[in-house]
Amino acid sequence: MNNLGENIKKLGFGLMRLPMKDEKIDIEQTKVMVDKFLDDGFTYFDTAWAYAGSEDAIRQALVERYPRESYQLATKNAAWINCNTRDEAISQFETSLKQTGAGYFDFYLLHNLGESRTQFFDKFDMWNFVKEKKEEGLIKHIGFSFHSTPEELEEILKAHPEMEFVQLQINYADWENPAIQSRACYEVARKYGKEVVIMEPVKGGMLATPPQPVVDIFKQADPNTSVASWAIKFAANLEGVITVLSGMSNVEQMEDNLSYMKDFDGLSEDEMKVIKKAQEELSKIDIVPCTVCNYCAKVCPNNIGISGSFTALNQLILYGNKAAAQHQEGWLVGGHGKQNASECLQCGECEAVCPQHIHIIDQLKRVTKELL
């Protein structure tokens, strides 16, 4: 095993969902969060070229304020987003260097491999590109993030043994989920000696506010610990984990995560039984497994508010409050300048890039029927 995470604490600051103010990233609140994170000994920050404003924000909140050697910075290359040539694909690296001002990246990832997206990294030979940048000292460790089947993951790892780590979606809700196959993907990565960075441990925030029966299970076990903490600790408890990314959106979320991860030393057998019980309860409820990554929005030709529609639909499924769900749909979709679900062209572009393999067209029909 690589031992890449030997000196990295098991909570990483995911920079996809930073705090917002006046529809822009709130730099001052982000600075406060960065300070708290570093003060408690955590050092891993995860951004991406595709996260609008994130690289620029972390330059201001972190890079310009702390010594470069005091933290690890990861970013990602999404060659499948609007790239027609190799030059366009590799230009993302230079853009990331400029936007972060970091000088080099501790971890650099080929972003969101799987299904039709992998071909772009092959076509533009991004594998050799990142190896070259590593040899030049501009990247310390190379890897990729992945959303697909364990079989495809194994094919990639066989073809590219030079990859040092894999970033996977792992949480207690998806561990045995046949659509995500978290356990199987994790086991393939470990089989090939790769350490793992975990993303979506709280499933886009959904496991911070799970259905009430799940909340009751966790609160009965420990009334003083947040529900989200169980999700983070489940992921951090796995072997071979470099760190667990949490997309924190405000100071309160940061403080909560720090409170239980600062001295985290693994889950007990009784705590694992509690999580098992929650998994069983959660598996009884059929919700749309959307994590609001919004990759669908990048390719939708009719500007449908897909993730907002699904967030509202899940609220209806979980809590049964139609008025509240309709209000949420109105705000998250129309309130943000998006077309509602009834305007879907059924072209299928969104389904081709969805990391969660959601049947988006069918679910948008469901939104139209139940909420519009």
Side-chain angles (χ1 to χ4, degrees):
M1 298 301 172
N2 298 317
N3 293 320
L4 299 184
E6 186 175 3
N7 298 313
I8 299 174
K9 297 188 76 169
K10 296 298 182 283
L11 177 66
F13 191 170
L15 305 170
M16 184 179 183
R17 301 179 178 92
L18 290 171
M20 305 295 290
K21 184 178 181 181
D22 299 327
E23 299 187 357
K24 295 181 180 179
I25 293 175
D26 185 343
I27 299 297
E28 293 308 310
Q29 186 174 177
T30 301
K31 287 179 180 179
V32 173
M33 296 168 71
V34 164
D35 293 346
K36 288 180 177 293
F37 191 72
L38 290 169
D39 285 348
D40 275 356
F42 297 92
T43 57
Y44 193 103
F45 295 83
D46 172 88
T47 184
W49 171 88
Y51 300 167
S54 177
E55 291 185 330
D56 181 71
I58 205 59
R59 186 194 75 251
Q60 296 178 64
L62 173 69
V63 177
E64 295 178 349
R65 300 173 63 238
Y66 285 92
R68 182 62 184 87
E69 67 277 7
S70 65
Y71 57 85
Q72 298 86 32
L73 183 61
T75 195
K76 313 179 190 75
N77 181 292
W80 48 273
I81 297 180
N82 300 325
C83 291
N84 297 309
T85 66
R86 187 173 194 263
D87 285 345
E88 288 177 339
I90 66 178
S91 70
Q92 290 184 18
F93 179 81
E94 297 301 328
T95 298
S96 291
L97 276 179
K98 181 178 179 180
Q99 290 183 156
T100 62
Y104 65 90
F105 297 112
D106 301 274
F107 293 80
Y108 194 76
L109 298 86
L110 302 181
H111 188 29
N112 193 16
L113 271 70
E115 300 174 326
S116 61
R117 301 175 298 278
T118 305
Q119 64 179 316
F120 292 95
F121 299 97
D122 295 337
K123 177 181 178 182
F124 301 137
D125 194 20
M126 298 305 293
W127 308 101
N128 278 320
F129 173 76
V130 295
K131 285 170 60 179
E132 291 166 6
K133 293 304 172 184
K134 181 181 177 182
E135 291 169 1
E136 293 172 16
L138 295 175
I139 300 172
K140 285 192 174 183
H141 302 294
I142 54 176
F144 61 93
S145 62
F146 180 82
H147 288 279
S148 192
T149 65
E151 292 79 14
E152 187 175 356
L153 176 60
E154 185 153 22
E155 289 179 8
I156 294 172
L157 290 175
K158 282 182 178 178
H160 298 285
E162 73 276 11
M163 293 292 105
E164 298 173 88
F165 68 99
V166 182
Q167 186 161 304
L168 298 173
Q169 174 175 323
I170 295 176
N171 55 66
Y172 68 77
D174 291 328
W175 190 239
E176 303 291 357
N177 184 340
I180 307 299
Q181 301 187 75
S182 284
R183 179 202 283 270
C185 287
Y186 165 77
E187 290 175 348
V188 168
R190 297 302 288 155
K191 172 184 173 181
Y192 283 85
K194 308 304 178 184
E195 291 191 80
V196 177
V197 173
I198 292 179
M199 57 182 163
E200 302 292 355
V202 194
K203 201 169 173 65
M206 292 171 67
L207 299 183
T209 55
Q212 194 59 45
V214 176
V215 174
D216 292 342
I217 289 169
F218 288 133
K219 286 301 182 182
Q220 183 178 359
D222 187 349
N224 299 315
T225 301
S226 71
V227 175
S229 70
W230 291 90
I232 299 287
K233 289 188 287 187
F234 170 83
N237 195 59
L238 296 169
E239 291 184 2
V241 170
I242 296 172
T243 197
V244 177
L245 302 176
S246 178
M248 295 170 273
S249 301
N250 54 53
V251 173
E252 291 72 26
Q253 290 176 3
M254 173 66 74
E255 291 176 338
D256 179 52
N257 281 344
L258 295 177
S259 70
Y260 57 80
M261 286 303 293
K262 185 163 51 176
D263 300 313
F264 178 70
D265 192 30
L267 290 170
S268 68
E269 186 175 337
D270 286 343
E271 288 172 324
M272 286 301 299
K273 289 179 180 178
V274 172
I275 292 176
K276 179 66 174 177
K277 188 175 180 181
Q279 288 173 316
E280 293 170 352
E281 189 64 39
L282 196 60
S283 68
K284 300 174 184 177
I285 304 170
D286 183 23
I287 60 174
V288 184
C290 175
T291 65
V292 199
C293 70
N294 281 322
Y295 293 143
C296 55
K298 297 180 186 298
V299 298
C300 177
N302 211 27
N303 195 32
I304 305 297
I306 299 172
S307 64
S309 295
F310 290 166
T311 298
L313 180 60
N314 282 338
Q315 179 162 325
L316 179 64
I317 294 168
L318 294 171
Y319 305 111
N321 188 328
K322 187 171 183 177
Q326 288 176 321
H327 181 269
Q328 188 169 52
E329 191 277 338
W331 166 242
L332 292 175
V333 180
H336 285 72
K338 300 286 186 178
Q339 299 273 21
N340 68 38
S342 67
E343 301 298 321
C344 173
L345 300 175
Q346 301 184 36
C347 66
E349 291 290 328
C350 54
E351 294 187 354
V353 302
C354 177
Q356 311 307 320
H357 314 289
I358 299 168
H359 297 293
I360 294 175
I361 295 171
D362 290 342
Q363 293 294 355
L364 288 176
K365 290 178 181 178
R366 186 179 177 189
V367 171
T368 299
K369 179 180 178 181
E370 299 187 25
L371 288 178
L372 299 180

mmCIF file of all heavy atoms in Angstrom, residues 19-44:
data_model
loop_
_atom_site.group_PDB
_atom_site.id
_atom_site.type_symbol
_atom_site.label_atom_id
_atom_site.label_comp_id
_atom_site.label_asym_id
_atom_site.label_seq_id
_atom_site.Cartn_x
_atom_site.Cartn_y
_atom_site.Cartn_z
ATOM 1 N N PRO A 19 -19.818 28.374 1.428
ATOM 2 C CA PRO A 19 -20.885 29.298 1.832
ATOM 3 C C PRO A 19 -21.088 30.401 0.795
ATOM 4 O O PRO A 19 -20.135 30.855 0.163
ATOM 5 C CB PRO A 19 -20.383 29.859 3.162
ATOM 6 C CG PRO A 19 -18.899 29.659 3.140
ATOM 7 C CD PRO A 19 -18.699 28.378 2.386
ATOM 8 N N MET A 20 -22.326 30.814 0.635
ATOM 9 C CA MET A 20 -22.674 31.814 -0.368
ATOM 10 C C MET A 20 -23.229 33.083 0.287
ATOM 11 O O MET A 20 -23.850 33.027 1.355
ATOM 12 C CB MET A 20 -23.719 31.252 -1.345
ATOM 13 C CG MET A 20 -23.318 29.965 -2.028
ATOM 14 S SD MET A 20 -21.899 30.149 -3.137
ATOM 15 C CE MET A 20 -22.651 31.124 -4.468
ATOM 16 N N LYS A 21 -22.985 34.197 -0.362
ATOM 17 C CA LYS A 21 -23.521 35.486 0.074
ATOM 18 C C LYS A 21 -23.764 36.334 -1.170
ATOM 19 O O LYS A 21 -22.845 36.541 -1.958
ATOM 20 C CB LYS A 21 -22.545 36.192 1.025
ATOM 21 C CG LYS A 21 -23.076 37.503 1.597
ATOM 22 C CD LYS A 21 -22.076 38.106 2.566
ATOM 23 C CE LYS A 21 -22.608 39.408 3.167
ATOM 24 N NZ LYS A 21 -21.620 40.010 4.109
ATOM 25 N N ASP A 22 -24.998 36.799 -1.331
ATOM 26 C CA ASP A 22 -25.359 37.585 -2.518
ATOM 27 C C ASP A 22 -25.009 36.832 -3.799
ATOM 28 O O ASP A 22 -24.478 37.405 -4.761
ATOM 29 C CB ASP A 22 -24.664 38.950 -2.500
ATOM 30 C CG ASP A 22 -25.054 39.789 -1.286
ATOM 31 O OD1 ASP A 22 -26.213 39.671 -0.845
ATOM 32 O OD2 ASP A 22 -24.195 40.533 -0.784
ATOM 33 N N GLU A 23 -25.297 35.509 -3.783
ATOM 34 C CA GLU A 23 -25.088 34.632 -4.939
ATOM 35 C C GLU A 23 -23.622 34.489 -5.341
ATOM 36 O O GLU A 23 -23.301 34.086 -6.462
ATOM 37 C CB GLU A 23 -25.938 35.088 -6.133
ATOM 38 C CG GLU A 23 -27.442 35.071 -5.841
ATOM 39 C CD GLU A 23 -28.276 35.355 -7.070
ATOM 40 O OE1 GLU A 23 -27.698 35.617 -8.141
ATOM 41 O OE2 GLU A 23 -29.515 35.313 -6.951
ATOM 42 N N LYS A 24 -22.711 34.810 -4.445
ATOM 43 C CA LYS A 24 -21.287 34.595 -4.659
ATOM 44 C C LYS A 24 -20.715 33.857 -3.457
ATOM 45 O O LYS A 24 -21.292 33.873 -2.369
ATOM 46 C CB LYS A 24 -20.558 35.928 -4.835
ATOM 47 C CG LYS A 24 -20.961 36.718 -6.082
ATOM 48 C CD LYS A 24 -20.173 38.010 -6.170
ATOM 49 C CE LYS A 24 -20.561 38.822 -7.399
ATOM 50 N NZ LYS A 24 -19.804 40.093 -7.488
ATOM 51 N N ILE A 25 -19.574 33.205 -3.647
ATOM 52 C CA ILE A 25 -18.925 32.532 -2.527
ATOM 53 C C ILE A 25 -18.542 33.557 -1.473
ATOM 54 O O ILE A 25 -17.949 34.595 -1.767
ATOM 55 C CB ILE A 25 -17.690 31.755 -2.997
ATOM 56 C CG1 ILE A 25 -18.118 30.584 -3.901
ATOM 57 C CG2 ILE A 25 -16.880 31.236 -1.816
ATOM 58 C CD1 ILE A 25 -16.967 29.822 -4.529
ATOM 59 N N ASP A 26 -18.900 33.264 -0.243
ATOM 60 C CA ASP A 26 -18.606 34.148 0.885
ATOM 61 C C ASP A 26 -17.155 33.909 1.327
ATOM 62 O O ASP A 26 -16.867 32.974 2.082
ATOM 63 C CB ASP A 26 -19.585 33.846 2.029
ATOM 64 C CG ASP A 26 -19.448 34.804 3.206
ATOM 65 O OD1 ASP A 26 -18.406 35.490 3.293
ATOM 66 O OD2 ASP A 26 -20.373 34.859 4.034
ATOM 67 N N ILE A 27 -16.265 34.738 0.835
ATOM 68 C CA ILE A 27 -14.834 34.554 1.100
ATOM 69 C C ILE A 27 -14.516 34.708 2.586
ATOM 70 O O ILE A 27 -13.713 33.942 3.146
ATOM 71 C CB ILE A 27 -13.982 35.538 0.277
ATOM 72 C CG1 ILE A 27 -14.207 35.316 -1.224
ATOM 73 C CG2 ILE A 27 -12.501 35.383 0.620
ATOM 74 C CD1 ILE A 27 -13.792 33.959 -1.723
ATOM 75 N N GLU A 28 -15.133 35.672 3.241
ATOM 76 C CA GLU A 28 -14.812 35.912 4.652
ATOM 77 C C GLU A 28 -15.229 34.735 5.522
ATOM 78 O O GLU A 28 -14.493 34.333 6.426
ATOM 79 C CB GLU A 28 -15.474 37.209 5.131
ATOM 80 C CG GLU A 28 -14.903 38.461 4.460
ATOM 81 C CD GLU A 28 -13.386 38.540 4.541
ATOM 82 O OE1 GLU A 28 -12.837 38.370 5.650
ATOM 83 O OE2 GLU A 28 -12.743 38.758 3.491
ATOM 84 N N GLN A 29 -16.412 34.179 5.272
ATOM 85 C CA GLN A 29 -16.815 33.003 6.045
ATOM 86 C C GLN A 29 -15.935 31.804 5.694
ATOM 87 O O GLN A 29 -15.595 31.000 6.572
ATOM 88 C CB GLN A 29 -18.288 32.656 5.800
ATOM 89 C CG GLN A 29 -18.773 31.532 6.715
ATOM 90 C CD GLN A 29 -20.266 31.244 6.622
ATOM 91 O OE1 GLN A 29 -20.762 30.325 7.259
ATOM 92 N NE2 GLN A 29 -20.993 32.024 5.843
ATOM 93 N N THR A 30 -15.540 31.707 4.445
ATOM 94 C CA THR A 30 -14.643 30.628 4.040
ATOM 95 C C THR A 30 -13.305 30.750 4.764
ATOM 96 O O THR A 30 -12.719 29.743 5.189
ATOM 97 C CB THR A 30 -14.428 30.643 2.514
ATOM 98 O OG1 THR A 30 -15.685 30.507 1.850
ATOM 99 C CG2 THR A 30 -13.517 29.504 2.079
ATOM 100 N N LYS A 31 -12.811 31.950 4.950
ATOM 101 C CA LYS A 31 -11.562 32.158 5.689
ATOM 102 C C LYS A 31 -11.690 31.664 7.126
ATOM 103 O O LYS A 31 -10.779 31.015 7.657
ATOM 104 C CB LYS A 31 -11.185 33.642 5.691
ATOM 105 C CG LYS A 31 -10.674 34.161 4.364
ATOM 106 C CD LYS A 31 -10.352 35.649 4.462
ATOM 107 C CE LYS A 31 -9.838 36.211 3.147
ATOM 108 N NZ LYS A 31 -9.555 37.666 3.242
ATOM 109 N N VAL A 32 -12.811 31.973 7.752
ATOM 110 C CA VAL A 32 -13.043 31.522 9.130
ATOM 111 C C VAL A 32 -13.032 29.992 9.188
ATOM 112 O O VAL A 32 -12.437 29.389 10.097
ATOM 113 C CB VAL A 32 -14.376 32.072 9.666
ATOM 114 C CG1 VAL A 32 -14.696 31.467 11.030
ATOM 115 C CG2 VAL A 32 -14.327 33.594 9.772
ATOM 116 N N MET A 33 -13.674 29.370 8.220
ATOM 117 C CA MET A 33 -13.724 27.906 8.182
ATOM 118 C C MET A 33 -12.345 27.308 7.951
ATOM 119 O O MET A 33 -11.962 26.319 8.591
ATOM 120 C CB MET A 33 -14.710 27.464 7.105
ATOM 121 C CG MET A 33 -16.153 27.873 7.385
ATOM 122 S SD MET A 33 -17.256 27.658 5.969
ATOM 123 C CE MET A 33 -17.363 25.869 5.881
ATOM 124 N N VAL A 34 -11.577 27.916 7.059
ATOM 125 C CA VAL A 34 -10.210 27.453 6.800
ATOM 126 C C VAL A 34 -9.373 27.555 8.071
ATOM 127 O O VAL A 34 -8.619 26.635 8.424
ATOM 128 C CB VAL A 34 -9.568 28.265 5.658
ATOM 129 C CG1 VAL A 34 -8.047 28.071 5.628
ATOM 130 C CG2 VAL A 34 -10.184 27.871 4.313
ATOM 131 N N ASP A 35 -9.500 28.664 8.775
ATOM 132 C CA ASP A 35 -8.730 28.867 10.010
ATOM 133 C C ASP A 35 -9.063 27.807 11.052
ATOM 134 O O ASP A 35 -8.165 27.230 11.686
ATOM 135 C CB ASP A 35 -9.013 30.256 10.577
ATOM 136 C CG ASP A 35 -8.485 31.377 9.692
ATOM 137 O OD1 ASP A 35 -7.672 31.097 8.786
ATOM 138 O OD2 ASP A 35 -8.905 32.537 9.899
ATOM 139 N N LYS A 36 -10.335 27.544 11.243
ATOM 140 C CA LYS A 36 -10.753 26.543 12.231
ATOM 141 C C LYS A 36 -10.239 25.156 11.843
ATOM 142 O O LYS A 36 -9.783 24.381 12.698
ATOM 143 C CB LYS A 36 -12.284 26.536 12.352
ATOM 144 C CG LYS A 36 -12.867 27.752 13.058
ATOM 145 C CD LYS A 36 -14.384 27.670 13.132
ATOM 146 C CE LYS A 36 -14.971 28.856 13.893
ATOM 147 N NZ LYS A 36 -14.612 28.826 15.325
ATOM 148 N N PHE A 37 -10.343 24.851 10.576
ATOM 149 C CA PHE A 37 -9.913 23.555 10.062
ATOM 150 C C PHE A 37 -8.429 23.324 10.329
ATOM 151 O O PHE A 37 -8.023 22.288 10.873
ATOM 152 C CB PHE A 37 -10.207 23.522 8.564
ATOM 153 C CG PHE A 37 -10.062 22.180 7.895
ATOM 154 C CD1 PHE A 37 -10.978 21.174 8.125
ATOM 155 C CD2 PHE A 37 -9.021 21.946 7.002
ATOM 156 C CE1 PHE A 37 -10.866 19.936 7.484
ATOM 157 C CE2 PHE A 37 -8.898 20.728 6.358
ATOM 158 C CZ PHE A 37 -9.822 19.720 6.604
ATOM 159 N N LEU A 38 -7.608 24.303 9.967
ATOM 160 C CA LEU A 38 -6.166 24.174 10.176
ATOM 161 C C LEU A 38 -5.792 24.213 11.652
ATOM 162 O O LEU A 38 -4.889 23.493 12.092
ATOM 163 C CB LEU A 38 -5.434 25.279 9.416
ATOM 164 C CG LEU A 38 -5.445 25.160 7.890
ATOM 165 C CD1 LEU A 38 -4.919 26.438 7.251
ATOM 166 C CD2 LEU A 38 -4.622 23.961 7.421
ATOM 167 N N ASP A 39 -6.481 25.021 12.425
ATOM 168 C CA ASP A 39 -6.184 25.125 13.858
ATOM 169 C C ASP A 39 -6.358 23.793 14.573
ATOM 170 O O ASP A 39 -5.678 23.518 15.570
ATOM 171 C CB ASP A 39 -7.085 26.183 14.517
ATOM 172 C CG ASP A 39 -6.661 27.603 14.186
ATOM 173 O OD1 ASP A 39 -5.555 27.778 13.634
ATOM 174 O OD2 ASP A 39 -7.443 28.532 14.447
ATOM 175 N N ASP A 40 -7.270 22.968 14.071
ATOM 176 C CA ASP A 40 -7.501 21.662 14.702
ATOM 177 C C ASP A 40 -6.676 20.543 14.081
ATOM 178 O O ASP A 40 -6.895 19.365 14.348
ATOM 179 C CB ASP A 40 -8.987 21.308 14.638
ATOM 180 C CG ASP A 40 -9.767 21.916 15.797
ATOM 181 O OD1 ASP A 40 -9.136 22.534 16.676
ATOM 182 O OD2 ASP A 40 -11.006 21.776 15.836
ATOM 183 N N GLY A 41 -5.706 20.924 13.236
ATOM 184 C CA GLY A 41 -4.756 19.943 12.723
ATOM 185 C C GLY A 41 -5.141 19.260 11.434
ATOM 186 O O GLY A 41 -4.454 18.328 10.994
ATOM 187 N N PHE A 42 -6.219 19.704 10.795
ATOM 188 C CA PHE A 42 -6.632 19.124 9.512
ATOM 189 C C PHE A 42 -5.997 19.912 8.375
ATOM 190 O O PHE A 42 -5.858 21.135 8.464
ATOM 191 C CB PHE A 42 -8.155 19.126 9.405
ATOM 192 C CG PHE A 42 -8.823 18.268 10.446
ATOM 193 C CD1 PHE A 42 -9.220 18.802 11.665
ATOM 194 C CD2 PHE A 42 -9.026 16.918 10.214
ATOM 195 C CE1 PHE A 42 -9.817 18.010 12.632
ATOM 196 C CE2 PHE A 42 -9.623 16.113 11.177
ATOM 197 C CZ PHE A 42 -10.020 16.659 12.387
ATOM 198 N N THR A 43 -5.654 19.213 7.287
ATOM 199 C CA THR A 43 -4.806 19.858 6.282
ATOM 200 C C THR A 43 -5.196 19.613 4.830
ATOM 201 O O THR A 43 -4.584 20.175 3.932
ATOM 202 C CB THR A 43 -3.345 19.387 6.455
ATOM 203 O OG1 THR A 43 -3.296 17.946 6.362
ATOM 204 C CG2 THR A 43 -2.768 19.837 7.785
ATOM 205 N N TYR A 44 -6.186 18.776 4.558
ATOM 206 C CA TYR A 44 -6.498 18.375 3.181
ATOM 207 C C TYR A 44 -7.663 19.182 2.626
ATOM 208 O O TYR A 44 -8.767 19.177 3.187
ATOM 209 C CB TYR A 44 -6.826 16.888 3.133
ATOM 210 C CG TYR A 44 -6.876 16.280 1.735
ATOM 211 C CD1 TYR A 44 -5.823 15.509 1.261
ATOM 212 C CD2 TYR A 44 -7.982 16.456 0.907
ATOM 213 C CE1 TYR A 44 -5.856 14.925 -0.011
ATOM 214 C CE2 TYR A 44 -8.029 15.886 -0.367
ATOM 215 C CZ TYR A 44 -6.966 15.123 -0.810
ATOM 216 O OH TYR A 44 -7.010 14.560 -2.065
#
